[in-house]
Amino acid sequence: MSMLTPPGMGGQYRVTGDKYPRMRPPRRRGRLVAVAVASVAALGLIGWGTLQLVDVFTGGGDKYTATGSAKDCRTKTAAAPAAQVHALPRPGQITVNVYNATKRTGLAKTTADELKKRGFKIGDVGNASKQYDKKVKGAGILLGSAAARDTSLRVLGTQLDGARLRADSRRTADLDLVIGDAFKGLARQGAADQALAKLSEPTPTASPKKSC
């Protein structure tokens, strides 16, 4: 064996020139292993994706959540409460005092007679007190207790367009109609009846929203 022969060659190769043989480990086996691993991973991903598509199109993905969602929806969509109805008194349950705050005479009497025809009870009739006499520029003022503001005062308000509703310190259930300078008469009977009917219509309440 020549001294120039690399160790381990067993004399198989001899160096005859100034170039040495290249010593590289075989790579073919490593490449085959890498290709096999990549193929197995690709097949696994394809199989998993196929199962997901099957679940989507067959509804299999919802079998674990359908029961809980339906229960939640039923809980949040309970029956809506009934519409609220205004407990308004009828004209026959309302006593009205009619006072004239204008310079025109006879308005209190004629207005009281008309209100009586429309079913209202009539109390005092006459001239307005000094607090309102010649001081009401609009069609009129309707006075009552604080409790009457959203009940009987609103009913009486359907009979006089443009009247102002005002609560005072009285504790009685009667109302005052103080006629002002712009008064031209009560609202027409038909219009007043329609306004009263609309006032008595139930107010629908908001229905609960479904949120699933």
Side-chain angles (χ1 to χ4, degrees):
M1 179 185 302
S2 173
M3 294 182 64
L4 296 177
T5 302
M9 289 297 186
Q12 184 177 0
Y13 299 98
R14 293 179 182 274
V15 179
T16 58
D18 56 354
K19 295 183 180 180
Y20 293 90
R22 296 182 180 181
M23 305 296 293
R24 293 182 180 180
R27 296 183 179 179
R28 182 173 300 176
R29 181 177 299 176
R31 291 179 180 179
L32 291 176
V33 173
V35 170
V37 172
S39 300
V40 172
L43 290 174
L45 288 175
I46 293 173
W48 180 81
T50 303
L51 290 177
Q52 295 299 316
L53 289 176
V54 171
D55 285 342
V56 169
F57 287 103
T58 58
D62 297 335
K63 61 183 178 181
Y64 301 106
T65 59
T67 303
S69 298
K71 183 176 180 181
D72 293 342
C73 291
R74 286 194 298 270
T75 302
K76 296 176 182 179
T77 55
Q84 297 178 352
V85 180
H86 296 292
L88 297 175
R90 296 187 298 274
Q93 299 174 302
I94 301 174
T95 299
V96 183
N97 305 312
V98 184
Y99 301 111
N100 184 8
T102 72
K103 298 178 180 180
R104 292 174 287 172
T105 60
L107 284 181
K109 178 66 168 58
T110 56
T111 302
D113 291 343
E114 182 62 26
L115 285 175
K116 186 176 180 179
K117 292 180 182 179
R118 300 185 182 189
F120 290 89
K121 293 182 178 180
I122 302 302
D124 296 335
V125 178
N127 294 325
S129 63
K130 292 182 179 180
Q131 181 181 359
Y132 298 103
D133 190 30
K134 312 298 187 300
K135 298 177 183 179
V136 180
K137 302 302 180 183
I141 299 175
L142 306 182
L143 302 172
S145 65
R149 185 172 183 85
D150 292 327
T151 55
S152 55
L153 272 177
R154 295 181 66 187
V155 173
L156 182 58
T158 61
Q159 308 300 311
L160 180 58
D161 295 332
R164 290 181 296 168
L165 278 62
R166 184 181 301 175
D168 56 19
S169 59
R170 77 181 69 193
R171 296 185 178 180
T172 57
D174 61 325
L175 308 179
D176 293 350
L177 191 164
V178 182
I179 300 173
D181 293 337
F183 179 80
K184 296 181 180 179
L186 297 176
R188 293 183 179 180
Q189 180 74 62
D193 291 343
Q194 289 181 1
L196 184 58
K198 186 175 181 180
L199 188 65
S200 302
E201 289 179 354
T203 301
T205 56
S207 300
K209 296 182 179 179
K210 181 188 294 185
S211 57
C212 299

